[in-house]
Amino acid sequence: MEGEPAVRRLVVVRGTVQGVGFRPWTVRWATRLGLSGHVRNVGADVVAEVQGQARDVAALLEAMRASPPPLALVREVDVSDIAAIEGAPPGFEVRASESRTAAAVAVPADVATCDACLAEVDDPADRRYGYPFTNCVDCGPRYTIIRSLPYDRSATTMAGFVMCDECRTEYEDPTDRRFHAEPVACGACGPRLTWEGPEIGGPPLAEAVNCLVSGGIVAVKGVGGYHLAVRADDEAAVARLRDRKKRDEKPFAVMVGSLAEARALVGLSDAAEAELTSGRRPIVLAPRRDATRVAPAVAPGSADLGVLLPYSPLHHLLLRGAAQPLVMTSGNRTDEPIAQTAEAARVQLTEIADGFLHHDRPIEVRCDDSVVRAARGTTQVVRRSRGFAPEALALPFVSKIDVLAVGAELKSTVALGSGGSVIASHHLGDLEHLAAYAAFEQAVGHLRSLTGTEPVVIAHDLHPEYLSTKWAMEQELELFGVQHHHAHVASCLVDHGRDGPVIGLAFDGLGFGPDGTLWGGEVLLADLRGAERLAHLRPVPLPGGAAAIRQPWRMALVWAAAAAGEQAAAAVGPQLDPQWRELLALSRSGAAPTTSSAGRLFDAVAALAGGRKTISYEGQAAVEFEAAARAWAEVSPAADTNADAWEGEPGEGPWVLDPSPLVRAALDARATGEPLGAISHVFHRRLAEGLVRVSVRLARREGVAAVALTGGVFQNMVLTELVAEGLAASGLEPLVHRRVPPNDGGISIGQVAIAAATLGRVAG
Ligand code: ZN
Ligand code: ZN
Ligand code: FE
């Protein structure tokens, strides 16, 4: 083959290709194949010019498509012929990046420390021994440090650190693991720890470990913000953290040093272990074992425990030093976003922390830990943040317009749709808090600048009082309102790469309906363009608005009266709350708004069954009610559930599903002294059977074959599994959330899909 004319090709690689080692990978392959040319980042793409024998060039292109670097997501490899350069210099090099507005959506997520880096941190002979910011092309911070594209060191928060000679040599050597690893650093040139707190005269890490070991609470700056850390085995220390953080009962997550330790604390399926050990390193919620190493105050009343593994060298070093599992909870005051800077940490956490372990690598984007719930044989993302954001999700079609979606109000996220994908922000928190609102505005700007998209449409919720809706109204872009539960169903469709139509069971707390009432127990016929309300739970008064959410006893009285009459309500009133008379009068007056909320029905039945009458965190009553059902099912799975869940038949307009039989059954069972677990078990079973029957009937009538289970209520795995099994047994396909949260964190993704499918879908 010697002497054949050389060819030269221009190669554009699109997808998630920056910050994942694509350029060094290309250099290694090209060098091995004897090709010459260069590679560089342009906008969000990787662009290479490659010259050599045709079959060698083809081999490189094949490798780019078939076996790219492990963290890359190659969407397309565009190849065009260009004139070969005679006497081109031999060798292959990385060229300086070119910035350009990129239409592509391509920013890498943060990746947990790889084994090779960890081995160096542990090796006393290595120059990075004990260095808490060790990283390479395969691991380290990305999204949280990127200021703009293209992804180069100068565009990250590492810009201010000048590489030492040794780091620079690694960075410039195509055969090195750190070749163009943008955040590369070592103890001589990179970020450093500082300690602020009581001192024993050691280095910062030793001070922090000492404080932790003696039961202290340490604010630790990590990858996406500060954590509050404390020994998980020390009841008094954990109780102090709860007390100072004013967090009565909401479970804390626990960071453990190894998979073996995680297995000792919780039951893990293969799927849950894969999630736990992945480079994303989320918190995994799994059924807890009767462990002695975790203090009761870590997760009181919860059947699940959230565990996570260390994801930066600093965490590994802390865990080893403390030799104990550590509570690692967001470093914030309740409901505020986590602290991102030393100043914010001091302001927010001075009353809580005994000491601060700071470092000087700035965090560009504050990012909470992601949360994944383990279900039977599978997993479900319930908070999609660090490690996931801002990875693109595929849309089931290609949009010719760019769409910005601003989500809902609680568990806020924003999302951008462009071409065939949607990219959602990290978890922003509850917008009613000023700091979360600031994070919301920052996230919109950051996503726009990272993706280079120019949205022409803003999709928003119909709720006029959501701050996200108000913000959208102030922008000078075309507005597109999306009904809340339609967005939930669409988010589930995106999760499954479908565009419908499906029967959507959208069950959640509250969402604004187009009729101006608060919806939340909805059965929709929906695709990505439209939704029809086929059925819904019977609307009942919601007395006291937000108070009705914090105080489940209110809905318990309302539902007792609705299902069994005022006398029955009066009979249980005194057991629920001294204010029961006033509450009944208020709900009778017609002054309260009405709601078809499934979340509020769960609250009501839980309280009537002897569960929570007031709650200290969102969803607490439902979480404990579910745990009681699960515990009961393990002991006595049989249940007499033959009776119908509903009263009411389909007629004109939407079918009203009246769950009064379920409420009366709970009242009767409580009156005869049945325990909470037994009542909850029967309630879950009957509700699930009722939902399956409704779905089957409506699916047959409408000629659809799949049912989407969505909304915050379907974080309840007992209910989800019962409904999914029942649907499958009836020949319908259940669509259960996997990568997109079923709660309001997924709303922005559903909004993008609906707006783009309606306004910007490319024909064919
Ligand atoms: Zn590494
Ligand atoms: Zn260095
Ligand atoms: Fe919702």
Side-chain angles (χ1 to χ4, degrees), residues 23 39-42 94-98 152 180:
R23 289 173 300 169
V39 61
R40 65 197 200 276
N41 285 340
V42 179
V94 171
R95 288 248 174 110
S97 299
E98 250 172 54
D152 275 324
H180 277 270

Side-chain angles (χ1 to χ4, degrees), residues 453-727:
T453 49
E454 277 307 322
V456 293
V457 174
I458 301 187
H460 61 87
D461 198 274
L462 297 182
H463 201 308
E465 294 304 316
Y466 282 178
L467 289 179
S468 58
T469 307
K470 290 180 172 172
W471 183 88
M473 300 290 167
E474 288 164 11
Q475 311 307 308
E476 289 178 358
L477 292 175
E478 187 181 339
L479 291 171
F480 189 88
V482 179
Q483 198 277 322
H484 188 88
H485 301 93
H486 185 201
H488 271 308
V489 177
S491 75
C492 187
L493 287 171
V494 170
D495 202 346
H496 288 269
R498 306 287 184 88
D499 52 11
V502 290
I503 298 294
L505 301 178
F507 276 38
D508 66 355
L510 298 169
F512 203 78
D515 59 359
T517 71
L518 294 166
W519 291 13
E522 311 306 313
V523 184
L524 307 177
L525 172 66
D527 60 16
L528 292 182
R529 296 170 65 112
E532 186 191 343
R533 194 186 199 195
L534 298 183
H536 58 84
L537 291 181
R538 172 183 166 187
V540 292
L542 178 75
I549 299 171
R550 287 192 308 269
Q551 302 171 357
W553 66 265
R554 289 171 177 254
M555 291 310 293
L557 268 175
V558 165
W559 266 112
E566 292 260 333
Q567 265 187 319
V572 293
Q575 301 159 34
L576 288 168
D577 193 271
Q579 307 256 303
W580 65 274
R581 276 179 223 278
E582 292 86 330
L583 191 282
L584 277 180
L586 171 61
S587 61
R588 219 185 294 122
S589 70
T594 64
T595 183
S596 55
S597 167
R600 299 292 81 80
L601 174 67
F602 265 84
D603 285 356
V605 177
L608 291 174
R612 290 263 150 209
K613 293 172 184 62
T614 61
I615 57 172
S616 67
Y617 64 90
E618 195 225 338
Q620 184 180 18
V623 165
E624 294 180 8
F625 197 47
E626 177 195 353
R630 210 191 305 170
W632 188 267
E634 277 164 20
V635 183
S636 49
D640 174 19
T641 60
N642 260 333
D644 254 339
W646 324 113
E647 288 167 355
E649 282 295 310
E652 288 289 301
W655 180 5
V656 178
L657 308 169
D658 182 351
S660 288
L662 299 177
V663 177
R664 287 196 297 269
L667 275 170
D668 294 346
R670 183 67 182 159
T672 58
E674 286 210 37
L676 179 70
I679 301 174
S680 180
H681 178 58
V682 170
F683 173 77
H684 278 85
R685 294 280 293 261
R686 285 182 66 182
L687 177 63
E689 283 169 23
L691 290 175
V692 170
R693 270 182 224 150
V694 167
S695 302
V696 168
R697 190 154 160 183
L698 295 175
R700 283 206 189 113
R701 192 181 87 193
E702 304 294 338
V704 299
V707 180
L709 312 185
T710 189
V713 168
F714 282 106
Q715 282 169 235
N716 179 325
M717 283 300 158
V718 172
L719 182 72
T720 300
E721 283 170 10
L722 288 170
V723 174
E725 282 164 17
L727 290 171

Side-chain angles (χ1 to χ4, degrees), residues 127-128 131 153 162-168 170 184-190:
R127 72 188 190 88
R128 287 191 176 83
Y131 182 58
R153 189 179 179 96
V162 179
M163 276 182 244
C164 67
D165 289 347
E166 283 177 279
C167 284
R168 178 156 295 283
E170 294 169 335
V184 69
C186 74
C189 68

Side-chain angles (χ1 to χ4, degrees), residues 112-118 134-140 177-178:
T113 311
C114 72
D115 291 344
C117 283
L118 196 55
T134 302
N135 66 80
C136 73
V137 127
D138 295 324
C139 76
R177 207 157 57 73
R178 294 200 168 85

Side-chain angles (χ1 to χ4, degrees), residues 55-217:
R55 63 186 169 134
D56 296 328
V57 174
L60 175 67
L61 298 176
E62 175 55 24
M64 281 178 170
R65 292 188 181 101
S67 54
L71 299 175
L73 255 166
V74 174
R75 209 174 60 244
E76 64 180 329
V77 181
D78 224 39
V79 185
S80 41
D81 278 317
I82 50 177
I85 299 172
E86 237 177 289
F92 207 90
E93 60 173 20
V94 171
R95 288 248 174 110
S97 299
E98 250 172 54
S99 59
R100 170 175 68 75
T101 304
V105 171
V107 188
D110 302 294
V111 187
T113 311
C114 72
D115 291 344
C117 283
L118 196 55
E120 290 173 340
V121 173
D122 288 342
D123 178 3
D126 194 277
R127 72 188 190 88
R128 287 191 176 83
Y129 177 56
Y131 182 58
F133 304 95
T134 302
N135 66 80
C136 73
V137 127
D138 295 324
C139 76
R142 300 285 188 273
Y143 180 56
T144 50
I145 63 166
I146 298 178
R147 292 189 162 129
S148 61
L149 283 184
Y151 173 57
D152 275 324
R153 189 179 179 96
S154 61
T156 72
T157 63
M158 285 297 293
F161 296 92
V162 179
M163 276 182 244
C164 67
D165 289 347
E166 283 177 279
C167 284
R168 178 156 295 283
T169 303
E170 294 169 335
Y171 182 83
E172 289 175 351
D173 175 0
T175 66
D176 196 278
R177 207 157 57 73
R178 294 200 168 85
F179 181 50
H180 277 270
E182 305 305 341
V184 69
C186 74
C189 68
R192 287 176 197 199
L193 296 172
T194 47
W195 171 254
E196 195 178 316
E199 293 192 17
I200 52 165
L205 187 76
E207 296 280 5
V209 165
N210 176 63
C211 185
L212 284 169
V213 168
S214 53
I217 298 167

